[in-house]
Amino acid sequence: MTRIKICGIKNVADALYCAEAGADAVGLVFAHSPRQIDVATAQKICAALPPFISRIGVFVDTDIESVERISQTCGLTALQFHGNEDEQYCQSFTLPVLKAIRVKQAEDLNGLAGHPASAVVLDTFHPTLAGGTGEPFDWNLAQTALPKPVILAGGLTPQNVQAAIGKLKPYAVDVSSGVETNGAKDRDKIKAFIDQVRRCA
């Protein structure tokens, strides 16, 4: 069964709705973004969630000490890195690491076999944005078998997620803007997205 992460959660009510609707994980963005939240808010969200929902912190080129402090304060269960973090950086943590790869060409997926990340997040390349583009990449570039579990991101919506799963069969899907309306999480879209993914099981 494909796992589901709803990213860019900014309040307790939306986090609890995601859990109730069937999401496996929520993403809390600590990097500069319209979806960025402060540590105090993230701590409240993490404390309110049921025990089996993963709490994933999203960072971009943040120093190791700050990541450790935030993860311990909030009770994060995994770390997702969307910047230029190298393998040595990713080896610095005891929590599972998800490393984002911004896919522009097939060669971007080379050299992952020895990477310390537990999984790779395949996202859309953008020259200035680290994520949250709302645009899918060419899924054909990722159809070859990869040595790590794949979390598919980038432009997923309730309308296209079944096609994406059918083509790539990822371990998980990661959605943010695709379940928003005017920059806010839309519960009807969240439910529709989760329902579409579950129909693929």
Side-chain angles (χ1 to χ4, degrees):
M1 185 171 66
T2 306
R3 275 74 169 179
I4 301 168
K5 172 172 168 272
I6 310 294
C7 200
I9 296 299
K10 297 176 67 175
N11 59 69
V12 169
D14 284 348
L16 291 177
Y17 180 80
C18 291
E20 180 183 342
D24 301 288
V26 299
L28 307 169
V29 178
F30 297 100
H32 180 68
S33 161
R35 303 174 186 92
Q36 183 177 9
I37 60 172
D38 58 71
V39 174
T41 301
Q43 187 177 22
K44 291 177 183 176
I45 292 170
C46 289
L49 283 167
F52 292 134
I53 303 296
S54 296
R55 301 140 167 87
I56 300 177
V58 180
F59 302 88
V60 177
D61 297 325
T62 306
D63 65 90
I64 292 171
E65 292 75 15
S66 294
V67 174
E68 291 280 20
R69 174 179 53 80
I70 291 169
S71 66
Q72 291 174 13
T73 300
C74 297
L76 300 178
T77 58
L79 308 172
Q80 183 169 326
F81 298 126
H82 269 261
N84 297 308
E85 302 90 357
D86 60 18
E87 293 187 16
Q88 183 176 357
Y89 177 98
C90 292
Q91 285 177 327
S92 303
F93 305 96
T94 55
L95 288 177
V97 166
L98 317 176
K99 182 67 181 81
I101 308 295
R102 290 178 282 175
V103 182
K104 185 178 181 181
Q105 54 192 4
E107 288 73 18
D108 294 330
L109 303 176
N110 294 339
L112 294 175
H115 199 285
S118 299
V120 292
V121 181
L122 302 187
D123 204 351
T124 303
F125 173 83
H126 189 280
T128 59
L129 297 177
T133 65
E135 297 292 333
F137 64 90
D138 181 358
W139 297 331
N140 292 315
L141 298 175
Q143 281 196 284
T144 56
L146 295 178
K148 299 281 182 181
V150 168
I151 301 169
L152 182 61
L156 295 177
T157 68
Q159 290 71 40
N160 68 11
V161 68
Q162 282 200 358
I165 292 171
K167 183 176 282 286
L168 297 183
K169 298 177 175 55
Y171 171 79
V173 288
D174 187 346
V175 66
S176 188
S177 62
V179 291
E180 292 177 351
T181 298
N182 298 325
K185 288 295 183 279
D186 183 317
R187 295 187 180 184
D188 289 339
K189 290 182 179 179
I190 289 171
K191 186 176 188 309
F193 185 89
I194 293 172
D195 287 348
Q196 291 297 316
V197 175
R198 294 304 181 219
R199 289 189 183 121
C200 294

